[in-house]
Amino acid sequence: MFVNSSRSLRSCLLVLLAPLFITACNSSDSASSGDIASGFESGEVTLLVTDAPTSEFDEVNVITDSMSLVGDGYDAQLLNKETRIKLLDLRNSFSRLSKRKVRAGKYRKFRMSVKHVELIKRDAEGNIAEIIIPRLEQKMLEFNTQAEVAVHKRSRHMMKLDVDADKSVFFDNENNGYVFRTWARCDVTKLPDAPADEPVQEPVEEPVVVTPVLMNEKGVARTVLTESFELCNPDDLTDCKLVNINPDTVFMTSTIQVAATSGIAENTLLQVIGHYDVNTDAINALHVVADSSRLGSYSGTFVGGVVNDAISINVTAGSSTGTYPVTPASLPGIYDSEGNILDISALSDGVNAEVIGLLNTFPSATLRPAIVIIATP
């Protein structure tokens, strides 16, 4: 609840599609060093994750305990603890998995350990109807990057890992069961170097234009201050991200009402949409909604035009497939996938979007949105 208070892009394709490609992406048994060896210089790598929607399941959760970059005789861990990645919460937006110091060197591979995957179907009331644990084609995946990732002193890179749930899940008719075959790709962006502690003569590089990254994070509010709070993993309260708030941040209650105050109660469950600031490893909040456990995420296509601040969406993902009126459509919470604020005119016939909101089934089926994210064409 809310309370009163004062207030050079490099593309790397990570694909494991079929036996035809396995020879190019074989797993390796090389040892993982994990930490930066004493005396080695280091750069910084930030790892983000996103997803494309799937039409069959309401949740596709990948449980991983290790992600790393692989160099010539040395590895750099980006993630080394068990982490549940809820892929379908991240359509058209990102979540920050880690930000690490990485040993200077040249890396051409990305390694990921998958412990297991959960495929979840829900009923019309949102209760879990079925949990399926698919067979994994491989638990340790290693992919060749298309371009070398060169890490040097004070260098900074941002990796955007896109796991396509729809292409990764398929039904094996011969063995009568689901299989998860990881399909993913990543973009690696070279960011401007971190400032030097003292002047150093270095070559002048062309400035790098970084596309804004829209973050979508759920968590518990801790250390609430006037202009910021920490958003912590409910399962690990030491795993927190800083969230900055400003006069333009939109706050909503759990009933999708715009809050008249910017106050946030300690330990409130929140969903936050905002821009990622790689310099401070913080989220600059655009939209904050309380009690995010009640919110659903619905992916589909708008049909017809806006009439009296209402429009319908044809939901094509998960068990809630159908066409629902979306009202009101004029609330402050319409964004594109880079976090630009849009107006009601963006909701037109044929536009693909993700609606985060409450699906009411009585007395008639209506989808009440808190946030609308328009998919990038």
Side-chain angles (χ1 to χ4, degrees):
M1 62 177 290
F2 292 101
V3 296
N4 290 322
S5 72
S6 57
R7 73 157 214 136
S8 111
L9 183 65
R10 295 186 180 94
S11 179
C12 54
L13 189 62
L14 311 185
V15 187
L16 189 63
L17 289 174
L20 176 64
F21 293 93
I22 290 176
T23 55
C25 305
N26 282 337
S27 297
S28 170
D29 294 327
S30 61
S32 178
S33 61
D35 298 326
I36 301 169
S38 177
F40 285 101
E41 294 180 344
S42 65
E44 183 180 86
V45 175
T46 301
L47 179 62
L48 311 180
V49 65
T50 188
D51 172 52
T54 180
S55 58
E56 187 171 359
F57 297 98
D58 296 288
E59 292 183 31
V60 177
N61 303 327
V62 175
I63 291 79
T64 177
D65 59 2
S66 175
M67 293 185 182
S68 58
L69 284 171
V70 182
D72 185 11
Y74 48 86
D75 297 354
Q77 285 192 345
L78 302 178
L79 185 72
N80 61 349
K81 66 177 181 178
E82 184 169 309
T83 302
R84 174 177 274 98
I85 305 171
K86 297 185 176 182
L87 292 179
L88 299 193
D89 285 347
L90 300 172
R91 293 167 289 204
N92 305 313
S93 55
F94 288 85
S95 175
R96 197 266 284 148
L97 289 181
S98 72
K99 184 176 183 179
R100 291 288 184 90
K101 289 290 185 181
V102 169
R103 170 181 168 172
K106 297 178 179 180
Y107 301 87
R108 296 197 61 89
K109 294 183 179 181
F110 180 89
R111 181 182 294 151
M112 175 179 177
S113 169
V114 179
K115 294 191 69 176
H116 67 274
V117 174
E118 303 166 341
L119 309 177
I120 298 177
K121 295 183 179 181
R122 295 183 179 272
D123 59 24
E125 285 71 42
N127 301 312
I128 294 178
E130 185 178 12
I131 300 177
I132 299 169
I133 306 297
R135 177 174 62 84
L136 299 179
E137 283 211 336
Q138 280 189 296
K139 290 189 175 183
M140 181 63 75
L141 310 175
E142 188 171 286
F143 313 94
N144 291 320
T145 60
Q146 289 184 341
E148 186 176 75
V149 181
V151 177
H152 59 80
K153 184 178 180 180
R154 297 197 305 273
S155 71
R156 297 188 300 175
H157 292 80
M158 179 187 293
M159 297 182 63
K160 297 177 183 177
L161 178 64
D162 184 352
V163 182
D164 193 323
D166 199 42
K167 294 180 179 179
S168 297
V169 179
F170 70 95
F171 191 82
D172 183 353
N173 290 303
E174 183 176 347
N175 295 299
N176 194 33
Y178 282 94
V179 177
F180 192 86
R181 175 191 293 159
T182 304
W183 194 104
R185 70 184 183 90
C186 82
D187 291 328
V188 181
T189 303
K190 173 66 171 68
L191 303 174
D193 287 354
D197 295 329
E198 54 188 58
V200 178
Q201 289 294 110
E202 295 187 2
V204 177
E205 296 185 5
E206 291 294 321
V208 178
V209 178
V210 181
T211 302
V213 177
L214 183 66
M215 306 295 285
N216 181 357
E217 302 278 8
K218 290 182 180 180
V220 175
R222 303 292 293 269
T223 318
V224 177
L225 304 175
T226 304
E227 297 181 347
S228 68
F229 61 90
E230 290 187 322
L231 191 69
C232 302
N233 182 344
D235 299 323
D236 179 6
L237 294 179
T238 65
D239 179 13
C240 302
K241 303 175 180 71
L242 178 66
V243 177
N244 296 319
I245 56 180
N246 59 72
D248 295 325
T249 303
V250 177
F251 295 88
M252 281 186 165
T253 66
S254 59
T255 56
I256 317 300
Q257 300 290 331
V258 176
T261 174
S262 61
I264 298 173
E266 197 86 10
N267 296 317
T268 301
L269 186 62
L270 302 174
Q271 181 144 358
V272 176
I273 299 290
H275 285 126
Y276 180 62
D277 185 339
V278 70
N279 296 304
T280 61
D281 195 31
I283 301 170
N284 297 322
L286 296 167
H287 214 105
V288 180
V289 187
D291 192 13
S292 57
S293 64
R294 299 185 59 211
L295 297 180
S297 182
Y298 305 93
S299 183
T301 304
F302 286 111
V303 292
V306 176
V307 179
N308 296 326
D309 284 349
I311 189 172
S312 293
I313 186 169
N314 182 24
V315 175
T316 56
S319 59
S320 302
T321 300
T323 300
Y324 304 97
V326 178
T327 58
S330 57
L331 58 80
I334 306 172
Y335 307 97
D336 65 15
S337 57
E338 293 181 359
N340 297 307
I341 301 173
L342 307 176
D343 59 29
I344 194 172
S345 64
L347 309 185
S348 57
D349 183 59
V351 169
N352 295 319
E354 177 185 2
V355 177
I356 300 171
L358 299 176
L359 180 60
N360 300 315
T361 57
F362 182 84
S364 60
T366 303
L367 181 55
R368 187 172 186 185
I371 301 162
V372 178
I373 304 176
I374 304 297
T376 300

